[in-house]
Amino acid sequence: MARGRIRSKLRLSHLYTFGCLKPSTLEGDDPPHPLHGPGFSRTVFCNQPHMHKKKPLRYRSNYVSTTRYNLITFFPKSLYEQFHRAANLYFLVAAILSVFPLSPFNKWSMIAPLVFVVGLSMMKEALEDWRRFMQDVKINARKTCVHKTDGVFRSRKWKKVSVGDVVRVEKDEFFPADLLLLSSSYEDGICYVETMNLDGETNLKVKRSLEVTMTLDDEESFKNFMGTIRCEDPNPSLYTFVGNLEYKRQTFPLDPSQILLRDSKLRNTAYIYGVVVFTGHDTKVMQNSTKSPSKRSRIERTMDYIIYTLLVLLILISCISSSGFAWETEFHMPKMWYLRPDAPEDLTNPISPVYAGVVHLITALLLYGYLIPISLYVSIEVVKVWQASFINQDLRMYDDESGVPAQARTSNLNEELGQVHTILSDKTGTLTCNQMDFLKCSISGTSYGVRSSEVELAAAKQMAVDLEEHGEISSANTPQSQTKVYGTWDSSCTHEIEIESGNSNNPRAPIKGFGFEDDRLMNGNWLRESQPNDILQFFRVLAICHTAIPELDEESGKYTYEAESPDEASFLAAAREFGFEFCKRTQSSVFIRERFSSSGQIVEREYKVLNLLDFTSKRKRMSVVVRDEEGQLLLLCKGADSIIFERLAKNGKTYLGPTTKHLTEYGEAGLRTLALAYRKLDEEEYSAWNSEFQKAKTSIGSDRDELLETGADMIEKDLILIGATAVEDKLQKGVPQCIDKLAQAGLKLWVLTGDKMETAINIGFACSLLRQGMRQICITSINQDGGSQDSKRAVKENILNQLTKAVQMVKLEKDPHAAFALIIDGKTLTYTLEDDMKYQFLALAVDCASVICCRVSPKQKALAVMASDFSIAQFRFLERLLVVHGHWCYKRIAQMICYFFYKNIAFGLTLFYFEAFTGFSGQSVYNDYYLLLFNVVLTSLPVIALGVFEQDVSSEICLQFPALYQQGTKNLFFDWSRILGWMCNGVYSSLVIFFLNIGIIYSQSFRAGGQTADMDAVGTTMFTCIIWAVNVQIALTMSHFTWIQHVLIWGSIAFWYLFVALYGMMPSSLSGNVYRILDEILAPAPIYWMATLLVTVTAVIPYVTHIAYQRFLNPMDHHIIQEIKYYKRDVEDARLWTRERTKAREKTKIGFTARVDAKIRHLRSKLSKKQSNLSHCSAQDAMSPRSL
C-alpha cells in the first residue's frame, strides 16, 4: 500500500504511452455517443442499486453457473441422455414388452438390469455436475467491498453484487463484474489490469478513469455520489464499449479504456473504485463462454453403429425364428398330439400361421435381446470413473508449488485423450511463466556472454553421443563425464565439442531476469574494451528506453521494475547489473545511477524525457527522445533488427556485418533478439519535428494513428547501430521437453494467444515450435475502411490469395528437411473458418509443422478451466496425461468394448441355436436367473478389471516410446476389421459351445445310471462352458496382471459354481427345475467336467492362434517392447534399448529434438566444409615445389 501511495504522485498520463489514452480535448467538449435503436437500451443508476429491482431495469444477478443440470432439469435431461443411447432405448422397449405374456422369461430379468444400469449412469452424471456446482459456489462466494450508505464500504459475496453498486477492489484481486472505473490510488486515475484470463495477454493493460471522477478517491466521497450510465446492451465483444456517463448535469462519452472486465485482475495499483455495469451472465467474459455440452467420444459413437449392426442381426434372426415358427405351426403342429391340435390356442393354430409368426416375432426379439449388452454402458461408466480417479490421484501430475493436482472434470472423454491429433494450447500461463533472462549481447561488433542456451547444450550433447557411437571420440570425452562441453573445432581436426555452460568456479546467486556471464563487461571491466564509448551508449539505451516504473526492494537494496513486458524487465535488470541502475521516474525525467568502475563510485544522472514513441505490432520498435545533463538531444531506439537496419544512416552501419552474424547465431540458439541504435539530434530539427508531432497527437479523426506513425518515421531515421540483445524466454518447467515428446508421439501443436504476432513468434522459437530455417507463412488481413460488403469481400479475396500462394509454395517444396510454420491472427482466422475457404485453410494447416494463432479472442480459444474436461497445473503434465493415461484409456476402453460384444454374441447366439433346434418354440435353454446374472454379475467384474487395470506397457515405457501413442490416433484397436474379428470370434465360440455340448450330451447317457440330460442340465452345462470360455478369453487378452484381476476373473467362475449350488439348495418352490442340480446331477457326472474342459479349450483356439501368429510374424510395437522387457535385454544391452527408442520416434519437424537435429546438420555442414578446406590445403601443400 505504501509503495502504491509513493507511485501515485506520478502522473503517468503525461508520457505518450499513457497520454494516448487521454482525450485530446476536454471531456466536456467531446460530444456524447448517440445511443439510439436496439442494442443500446441499458441504463445504470450509479450508487443506486435499489433502482434495479423492478422491471424494466431488473437485470441479471451476479451469480454464475457452469453446470449442465439443475434440480428441475436433471431428471428429464439426464434420462434423455441415457435413452439417447441405442442400446438403452432398445432395453426400455424390451422392458415394457416383458410385462406382457409374450415374454419368454420373467419381467424382472429385463426391468431390474435396466433400472440398475440407467440409475448408476445418472448417479455418475450427478456426481460430476455436483463438482462443477461446487466450483461455481467457490467463485460466487468470493468477497469484495461494496458501498452500503454514508460512505461506508462492507464486504459482500460476489453473487450479491448488483448493477449500480460502487465497489472497491484491492491490488491482486479479480474484478467481480464489469465495472466502470471511477478512480484509483494514482491521482490521475490510472490503473494496471492483467487480462490473462480473457485474451491471453501477458502485458499489463493501462486503464484510465474520466477526469471528472478522479476526485472520488476515498470512501467518504461516495456518500452523495450519483450518476447515470446509458450504454450498450450485454454482448461478447471484449474490445468495444459504447456509452455515456451523465454526472453533474453533464454527459461524458465512455470507451473501453474506462471498463474493467470480470475475471481480469488489478495489478500494481493499490486500489480502484468502480461502478457495476454488467453482472453475472451479462458480463463480457460470460457472454464469451459456452454452455457445457453433452460430449460423447468417437469410440462411443462408433459403438452405436455396432449396436445398430447387432440390432439388424437381432431383427434378422428374429425374422428367421418367426418364419420358422410359422412354418412349424402350419406343417408340423397338426402332428404334435401333445399340443392338442384338435383344440388349438391362437398362437399354435395351424389355420393362422402368419398370425402366429408375427406374434412370435415379439417373443424372439425379447429372447435374443442378449445379443445387445445391457451392462456395456454402465460398465464403461464405472471404468471411466475409475480411470478419472487415477488421473486425479497421479502424483506425477501434482504441482508442488501451487498444490494443484490434475483433475478430470468429466470422465466421458477419457479414451479421447489417446486419440488426439492436434493440441490447441493457450500461451500465457500455459507455456510461459513470464520470465526472461538476459543471456548474450553484441556491442560494436563483439559478442559478449559465454553462457549457453538450452538449445546449444542439447545440440552439443547429442553430437557428442553421435560421435561416440561412430567411434570418433572416446566415452571419456562425452558430456556426461565432463563439466563443460564446447562447440568449437580445433585446427587439427580433433573432434572436441565444447559449449560453455557457465562459470562453475565462481557460482553466484541467481538474479531474476539476468543470466549473463562474461567478465569482460562486469564490474566496470568494459572500460578496458576497445570501444568503451559504444558500450556506454548501449548500457544507456537499456536503462532509458522503456516505460517501466522502479520499486526499491528494502531487503536487497536493489530496484525491481514493474514493466509492461518481461523483455523490458530483463533489459533493466541487465543495465542494473552492468552498473546503470534505473532508480527514479518523474513526470518529465528518468534518473540513472551510473557506476563506471569496480571501485563502486556512483553518479546519478538525469535524462529529461521529451517524447516516447511506443512499441506496436506495426512499428516493431520503440524510441525515446531525451536530453542529457549536457543538453545533448538523443533519440534512443530498440526494435526488430529488420526494422532498425533499414533506418540506419550510411555512417551507422559500421557494425552491421558482425551484428547480423551474431543475431543469426543467437537465433539458432533459440534466443529472442532486438537491435539497439541511437542518433544525435540538433535543436532546430527536433523543434520542427516536435511541432508537427504534437499536432498529430492532438488531432481528432480516423487518420490520427497514421499521422502519428508518419511523424515517428520522420525522426526514427539516420540511426547508428550499436549492438543487439539476446534474451532467453523462460518457459514453464519442462515445456520444450513436453512439446518435443508430444511431437515424437506424432501430435501437432497449435498455439493460440492474445499476444501480438511478434510476441507469439518469439514464444514459438522459445518452445521449439519454430526454429531457425523454418519458413514462416504469415496470413494477415488488410485493414478495411468500414463494414460494407465490398470491403469485406476485398479482405476475403486478399486472404484467399494468400492461402492459395502458401499452399502452392508448400506443394512445390522438394527439400525433405524443409518445414513450414503457419502464423495467423484472430481476425483473419475468423474469415478463414467461413465455409468458402475453411477447407483450403485446413489443408494448409495440416501441411505445416506448426500453427500459431495470435490476437485471438477467448471465444476462439475456448480454453477456460471452468468449461474444460481435464485440467492440469503445468503444461508439462500434458505429456503424461496424453502419452500415458491417454494411451492406456484408449486401449482399455477399445479392448473392453470389443470383448463385450464378443461375449454377448457368444452367449446370445446359443439361444437362437437352441430355439432352432427345438422347432423355434420360443423356449430359453437357460434359467431366468442365469440370464439375469450373466451381464450384471458373472461377466461384468472381469471386464471392468480389463478397463481399469490393463497395461500393455508401463508408464515409463510409454514416456520412453512416445510413438506408441500413434496406436490410438490410428485407431488400431477399434477399427472395423478388429471389431468384426471379435464378432467372428464370438460367432465361432457360440457354435462351439452349443454344438459340442449337444453332441456330447444329447445322444448318450449323462450319468452312470443311464439317465439322459434334461433341458436344465443341458442349459446349465452350456452356461458353465460359456462362463469358462469368456473368462479364459479375457485372461488371454490381458497383458498386465495384478491380484485384483486374478480374483475377479477366477472369482467370477467360482461365484458361478457357488450360485448354482446355493440356488439349487433352495426349496423347489423357489429353485424349480434346477433343484440340487449341481450336487446331485452335474457334479457326479464326469462328462460334465470333460465337456467344460473340451469346449473351453476349443473356444479359445482361434484367438491363441491369432496372437501367436501376430507376435512371431507380424508383431506390433508393444509386442517387441514386451519381449525386450521380459527377457531383460534392455538391461543387458543398453545400446539396443537406445537404438529401439530412437527408431520408435515419429519423424517430426518441431520440438526440441527437431531443433537439435537442425543444429546438428548445421554443425556437421560446417565441419564437413572445414575438413574439405583442410584436405584441399593439404593437397596444395603436397604439390608445392618445396614439398616436391
Side-chain angles (χ1 to χ4, degrees):
M1 188 71 73
R3 291 188 299 182
R5 288 196 292 269
I6 292 173
R7 297 210 312 265
S8 67
K9 298 177 182 177
L10 176 63
R11 295 181 69 87
L12 298 176
S13 58
H14 287 191
L15 295 174
Y16 169 67
T17 305
F18 309 100
C20 63
L21 298 173
K22 189 175 179 180
S24 55
T25 61
L26 294 177
E27 287 172 351
D29 299 334
D30 275 356
H33 295 293
L35 303 178
H36 302 292
F40 299 96
S41 64
R42 196 174 187 87
T43 302
V44 177
F45 293 99
C46 303
N47 211 18
Q48 304 171 75
H50 61 278
M51 298 287 288
H52 302 285
K53 292 185 177 179
K54 296 181 180 179
K55 292 184 177 181
L57 300 179
R58 186 175 181 178
Y59 302 126
R60 280 180 161 181
S61 72
N62 205 36
Y63 179 86
V64 297
S65 173
T66 61
T67 58
R68 187 179 299 168
Y69 311 106
N70 58 39
L71 289 176
I72 297 175
T73 63
F74 173 72
F75 277 100
K77 288 182 68 174
S78 183
L79 285 172
Y80 170 79
E81 288 296 326
Q82 295 304 317
F83 293 110
H84 188 64
R85 295 167 169 171
N88 286 353
L89 183 62
Y90 164 79
F91 282 109
L92 175 64
V93 175
I96 295 173
L97 293 176
S98 66
V99 302
F100 296 102
L102 296 175
S103 176
F105 30 68
N106 188 292
K107 62 184 178 181
W108 293 110
S109 63
M110 292 297 296
I111 296 175
L114 179 65
V115 171
F116 175 77
V117 166
V118 173
L120 200 60
S121 296
M122 291 176 65
M123 287 176 58
K124 177 248 184 187
E125 287 288 325
L127 177 62
E128 291 183 346
D129 214 49
W130 174 260
R131 292 172 181 165
R132 296 190 193 95
F133 172 74
M134 294 307 296
Q135 182 72 19
D136 293 339
V137 169
K138 182 179 178 181
I139 291 176
N140 289 317
R142 287 177 178 172
K143 300 273 184 84
T144 191
C145 291
V146 180
H147 181 240
K148 302 289 285 185
T149 54
D150 299 328
V152 177
F153 281 72
R154 291 284 185 267
S155 179
R156 186 185 293 177
K157 292 181 178 180
W158 276 23
K159 66 180 180 180
K160 297 294 184 180
V161 173
S162 302
V163 172
D165 277 332
V166 175
V167 300
R168 173 189 171 109
V169 179
E170 305 284 340
K171 180 181 178 181
D172 294 331
E173 289 183 350
F174 289 99
F175 299 118
D178 289 352
L179 311 177
L180 169 65
L181 175 62
L182 298 176
S183 62
S184 75
S185 57
Y186 294 106
E187 67 178 24
D188 55 357
I190 289 288
C191 76
Y192 292 92
V193 175
E194 179 188 274
T195 59
M196 184 173 62
N197 288 348
L198 302 181
D199 56 12
E201 286 277 8
T202 58
N203 300 341
L204 301 181
K205 309 296 185 303
V206 181
K207 300 288 185 176
R208 184 181 185 276
S209 68
L210 296 172
E211 288 189 10
V212 72
T213 62
M214 288 180 186
T215 56
L216 302 170
D217 57 357
D218 58 29
E219 296 183 355
E220 283 293 325
S221 61
F222 290 97
K223 187 174 182 180
N224 299 312
F225 168 68
M226 293 178 68
T228 302
I229 300 171
R230 303 186 190 279
C231 64
E232 64 188 23
D233 293 335
N235 62 79
S237 177
L238 294 172
Y239 307 109
T240 62
F241 182 83
V242 179
N244 295 323
L245 172 64
E246 298 174 3
Y247 181 54
K248 293 183 177 180
R249 298 183 179 179
Q250 297 185 59
T251 302
F252 306 93
L254 303 174
D255 58 56
S257 64
Q258 285 107 36
I259 301 300
L260 307 174
L261 300 182
R262 179 187 174 116
D263 275 0
S264 54
K265 182 186 288 188
L266 183 65
R267 296 292 301 273
N268 302 342
T269 310
Y271 60 87
I272 64 97
Y273 290 100
V275 62
V276 177
V277 180
F278 297 119
T279 51
H281 289 273
D282 285 345
T283 59
K284 290 185 179 289
V285 66
M286 294 306 295
Q287 289 279 308
N288 273 278
S289 66
T290 56
K291 284 285 185 180
S292 299
S294 298
K295 301 177 182 177
R296 303 182 72 216
S297 67
R298 282 174 289 178
I299 283 185
E300 192 169 347
R301 291 194 295 269
T302 303
M303 190 169 66
D304 284 345
Y305 288 109
I306 302 173
I307 289 178
Y308 297 148
T309 303
L310 292 180
L311 281 173
V312 171
L313 176 63
L314 170 62
I315 294 171
L316 177 63
I317 63 175
S318 297
C319 290
I320 294 173
S321 177
S322 63
S323 299
F325 183 75
W327 176 272
E328 292 286 334
T329 302
E330 182 176 4
F331 296 105
H332 295 161
M333 200 71 70
K335 303 176 184 178
M336 299 177 182
W337 56 268
Y338 49 86
L339 292 179
R340 294 291 305 275
D342 55 325
E345 298 179 1
D346 291 340
L347 296 181
T348 58
N349 193 339
I351 300 175
S352 54
V354 175
Y355 172 78
V358 171
V359 173
H360 183 81
L361 178 63
I362 299 175
T363 302
L365 288 172
L366 294 176
L367 181 62
Y368 306 143
Y370 285 90
L371 282 171
I372 314 297
I374 189 172
S375 62
L376 172 60
Y377 285 113
V378 71
S379 298
I380 290 176
E381 300 284 1
V382 171
V383 164
K384 288 184 175 182
V385 168
W386 275 99
Q387 291 175 347
S389 70
F390 289 161
I391 292 174
N392 296 340
Q393 298 173 23
D394 191 336
L395 294 178
R396 296 184 184 180
M397 293 194 295
Y398 175 80
D399 185 38
D400 294 325
E401 294 182 5
S402 62
V404 176
Q407 184 180 10
R409 293 169 59 86
T410 178
S411 59
N412 288 347
L413 304 176
N414 291 353
E415 64 271 28
E416 291 282 287
L417 293 174
Q419 293 185 284
V420 176
H421 292 86
T422 304
I423 299 169
L424 278 70
S425 171
D426 189 12
K427 177 188 73 67
T428 306
T430 304
L431 298 179
T432 64
C433 56
N434 299 330
Q435 180 183 342
M436 297 183 193
D437 281 353
F438 188 96
L439 205 64
K440 298 175 185 289
C441 61
S442 172
I443 309 176
S444 61
T446 303
S447 181
Y448 296 94
V450 298
R451 189 171 180 178
S452 300
S453 68
E454 294 179 358
V455 171
E456 289 176 308
L457 290 172
K461 290 180 179 179
Q462 185 61 47
M463 282 199 68
V465 171
D466 291 347
L467 291 173
E468 181 191 354
E469 288 185 354
H470 289 84
E472 299 180 42
I473 61 174
S474 64
S475 60
N477 293 325
T478 59
Q480 290 81 355
S481 60
Q482 290 187 343
T483 305
K484 299 180 182 180
V485 188
Y486 295 89
T488 61
W489 306 90
D490 65 14
S491 56
S492 62
C493 269
T494 302
H495 303 330
E496 184 183 17
I497 305 172
E498 294 194 17
I499 283 188
E500 182 66 62
S501 59
N503 189 353
S504 59
N505 296 326
N506 299 305
R508 58 171 171 82
I511 300 171
K512 183 179 180 180
F514 188 70
F516 181 88
E517 292 183 5
D518 195 331
D519 292 337
R520 291 176 293 173
L521 295 186
M522 302 300 294
N523 301 319
N525 294 335
W526 58 270
L527 290 167
R528 304 188 186 95
E529 292 295 294
S530 59
Q531 301 292 339
N533 292 331
D534 289 338
I535 298 177
L536 172 65
Q537 198 65 44
F538 181 90
F539 291 158
R540 284 177 173 168
V541 173
L542 291 181
I544 298 171
C545 187
H546 57 81
T547 60
I549 301 171
E551 289 187 348
L552 180 63
D553 189 332
E554 296 179 358
E555 295 182 1
S556 65
K558 290 185 177 182
Y559 283 91
T560 58
Y561 306 101
E562 297 290 351
E564 288 191 23
S565 68
D567 303 73
E568 280 196 349
S570 66
F571 292 155
L572 289 169
R576 182 191 64 210
E577 298 303 317
F578 290 139
F580 292 75
E581 186 175 47
F582 167 51
C583 60
K584 183 181 178 182
R585 183 190 289 277
T586 65
Q587 301 293 353
S588 58
S589 301
V590 294
F591 294 82
I592 310 297
R593 291 180 178 176
E594 299 182 353
R595 185 175 65 246
F596 283 89
S597 67
S598 58
S599 63
Q601 181 181 358
I602 297 177
V603 178
E604 184 170 296
R605 297 187 184 274
E606 178 184 3
Y607 296 87
K608 293 187 179 296
V609 180
L610 305 180
N611 304 90
L612 193 149
L613 310 180
D614 200 12
F615 184 95
T616 67
S617 59
K618 183 178 180 181
R619 284 169 41 77
K620 300 182 183 179
R621 64 191 184 279
M622 173 191 175
S623 300
V624 59
V625 179
V626 299
R627 189 188 300 274
D628 63 16
E629 293 178 340
E630 287 75 32
Q632 176 65 57
L633 286 171
L634 295 170
L635 172 74
L636 310 179
C637 184
K638 64 183 180 184
D641 52 76
S642 59
I643 301 299
I644 299 297
F645 290 171
E646 66 186 18
R647 286 167 171 75
L648 296 178
K650 291 183 179 180
N651 62 344
K653 300 181 179 180
T654 306
Y655 310 123
L656 181 59
T659 302
T660 302
K661 177 184 176 184
H662 296 154
L663 285 170
T664 302
E665 292 174 353
Y666 298 158
E668 290 176 350
L671 303 179
R672 298 174 58 167
T673 60
L674 284 179
L676 275 59
Y678 77 101
R679 68 171 294 202
K680 294 181 179 181
L681 304 173
D682 57 53
E683 293 291 344
E684 292 183 2
E685 179 188 9
Y686 172 72
S687 179
W689 171 82
N690 191 48
S691 176
E692 295 296 323
F693 189 69
Q694 292 302 322
K695 290 180 182 179
K697 284 180 63 177
T698 56
S699 65
I700 300 175
S702 59
D703 60 345
R704 180 173 180 267
D705 290 340
E706 293 183 8
L707 293 174
L708 288 172
E709 178 65 24
T710 303
D713 285 336
M714 291 171 59
I715 198 71
E716 292 173 324
K717 63 181 181 179
D718 298 331
L719 303 177
I720 298 174
L721 180 66
I722 51 175
T725 61
V727 297
E728 187 170 34
D729 195 353
K730 285 298 178 184
L731 301 167
Q732 283 190 8
K733 180 182 177 183
V735 165
Q737 293 81 0
C738 177
I739 291 177
D740 183 52
K741 195 73 73 172
L742 294 175
Q744 292 181 37
L747 281 79
K748 288 191 174 184
L749 182 64
W750 290 24
V751 173
L752 310 180
T753 175
D755 276 345
K756 296 169 282 195
M757 183 171 287
E758 292 73 27
T759 306
I761 290 173
N762 288 331
I763 292 295
F765 276 105
C767 62
S768 299
L769 281 174
L770 304 177
R771 57 178 171 80
Q772 201 72 18
M774 181 178 280
R775 301 183 187 181
Q776 298 177 18
I777 301 173
C778 296
I779 308 293
T780 57
S781 56
I782 58 176
N783 293 327
Q784 61 182 58
D785 301 326
S788 65
Q789 291 296 325
D790 290 340
S791 60
K792 290 183 178 179
R793 190 179 301 109
V795 171
K796 293 181 68 173
E797 288 177 358
N798 178 265
I799 295 172
L800 187 60
N801 185 43
Q802 294 181 65
L803 287 174
T804 303
K805 290 181 178 179
V807 170
Q808 290 176 348
M809 181 177 67
V810 173
K811 288 183 178 179
L812 294 175
E813 180 57 52
K814 302 299 183 183
D815 184 4
H817 298 296
F820 295 88
L822 175 61
I823 301 159
I824 187 171
D825 61 68
K827 181 180 178 183
T828 309
L829 184 64
T830 302
Y831 285 108
T832 59
L833 293 179
E834 292 181 2
D835 292 337
D836 53 349
M837 66 174 76
K838 63 182 180 182
Y839 294 110
Q840 280 185 281
F841 170 71
L842 179 62
L844 176 61
V846 169
D847 287 337
C848 290
S850 59
V851 179
I852 298 178
C853 305
C854 56
R855 286 293 187 191
V856 294
S857 68
K859 200 162 190 177
Q860 288 172 310
K861 290 191 284 186
L863 284 171
V865 171
M866 289 293 295
S868 66
D869 298 298
F870 302 90
S871 63
I872 49 178
Q874 295 286 323
F875 182 84
R876 68 179 185 273
F877 298 149
L878 187 63
E879 174 190 350
R880 186 171 180 85
L881 181 66
L882 297 182
V883 177
V884 177
H885 289 282
H887 174 73
W888 284 347
C889 289
Y890 163 75
K891 292 196 71 174
R892 289 166 175 171
I893 294 294
Q895 289 180 304
M896 172 185 175
I897 294 173
C898 288
Y899 171 78
F900 241 109
F901 288 118
Y902 153 80
K903 74 179 182 67
N904 275 73
I905 289 174
F907 174 61
L909 287 182
T910 58
L911 292 167
F912 172 68
Y913 302 150
F914 181 79
E915 201 207 15
F917 186 74
T918 57
F920 299 102
S921 61
Q923 175 68 51
S924 171
V925 70
Y926 306 120
N927 183 277
D928 284 353
Y929 286 99
Y930 298 177
L931 298 172
L932 177 65
L933 294 177
F934 178 76
N935 278 316
V936 178
V937 177
L938 294 175
T939 61
S940 61
L941 295 181
V943 77
I944 289 176
L946 173 68
V948 174
F949 300 108
E950 170 63 1
Q951 292 181 16
D952 56 345
V953 293
S954 65
S955 60
E956 291 77 12
I957 299 299
C958 287
L959 296 174
Q960 291 177 5
F961 292 83
L964 287 174
Y965 186 82
Q966 284 295 299
Q967 293 180 340
T969 56
K970 295 176 181 177
N971 202 20
L972 297 182
F973 288 87
F974 205 68
D975 57 0
W976 278 101
S977 62
R978 188 170 291 264
I979 293 169
L980 293 175
W982 275 100
M983 288 183 171
C984 292
N985 191 23
V987 172
Y988 166 81
S989 296
S990 67
L991 292 170
V992 168
I993 291 168
F994 179 79
F995 287 104
L996 272 184
N997 274 290
I998 292 297
I1000 293 172
I1001 299 173
Y1002 179 71
S1003 58
Q1004 57 183 315
S1005 62
F1006 186 72
R1007 300 173 62 187
Q1011 299 94 333
T1012 57
D1014 62 2
M1015 185 183 74
D1016 292 291
V1018 172
T1020 305
T1021 304
M1022 286 174 58
F1023 200 84
T1024 302
C1025 293
I1026 290 172
I1027 298 299
W1028 268 99
V1030 298
N1031 279 287
V1032 170
Q1033 174 67 68
I1034 200 171
L1036 292 172
T1037 304
M1038 292 181 179
S1039 303
H1040 174 75
F1041 278 93
T1042 66
W1043 64 269
I1044 298 176
Q1045 283 107 310
H1046 284 295
V1047 168
L1048 294 182
I1049 293 173
W1050 314 122
S1052 294
I1053 298 175
F1055 180 81
W1056 157 244
Y1057 287 112
L1058 180 63
F1059 167 77
V1060 175
L1062 294 178
Y1063 183 46
M1065 292 178 183
M1066 291 182 178
S1068 59
S1069 59
L1070 295 176
S1071 58
N1073 293 336
V1074 296
Y1075 177 72
R1076 307 193 72 89
I1077 193 170
L1078 181 64
D1079 56 334
E1080 290 188 358
I1081 300 174
L1082 298 180
I1087 196 172
Y1088 167 73
W1089 302 104
M1090 293 176 62
T1092 302
L1093 177 62
L1094 178 62
V1095 170
T1096 302
V1097 172
T1098 308
V1100 298
I1101 284 178
Y1103 183 79
V1104 172
T1105 304
H1106 165 71
I1107 59 175
Y1109 167 81
Q1110 189 176 50
R1111 283 183 174 272
F1112 279 102
L1113 300 178
N1114 189 28
M1116 301 180 73
D1117 292 339
H1118 65 283
H1119 292 150
I1120 298 173
I1121 296 171
Q1122 288 171 352
E1123 184 176 341
I1124 292 175
K1125 294 296 290 184
Y1126 181 80
Y1127 292 107
K1128 298 182 179 179
R1129 295 190 63 187
D1130 57 317
V1131 179
E1132 299 171 358
D1133 190 348
R1135 287 179 180 271
L1136 169 68
W1137 188 245
T1138 303
R1139 188 164 57 249
E1140 290 296 327
R1141 289 178 56 186
T1142 304
K1143 288 194 300 183
R1145 264 176 23 196
E1146 284 289 314
K1147 292 183 180 180
T1148 178
K1149 295 177 181 178
I1150 65 168
F1152 205 72
T1153 300
R1155 203 166 181 176
V1156 170
D1157 290 342
K1159 182 73 174 177
I1160 291 172
R1161 286 196 299 270
H1162 175 70
L1163 292 177
R1164 287 189 182 279
S1165 176
K1166 290 176 65 176
L1167 174 61
S1168 177
K1169 290 180 180 178
K1170 193 165 189 177
Q1171 289 177 331
S1172 178
N1173 291 336
L1174 287 174
S1175 300
H1176 182 67
C1177 292
S1178 300
Q1180 286 184 334
D1181 290 341
M1183 295 298 294
S1184 65
R1186 181 177 298 178
S1187 63
L1188 290 173

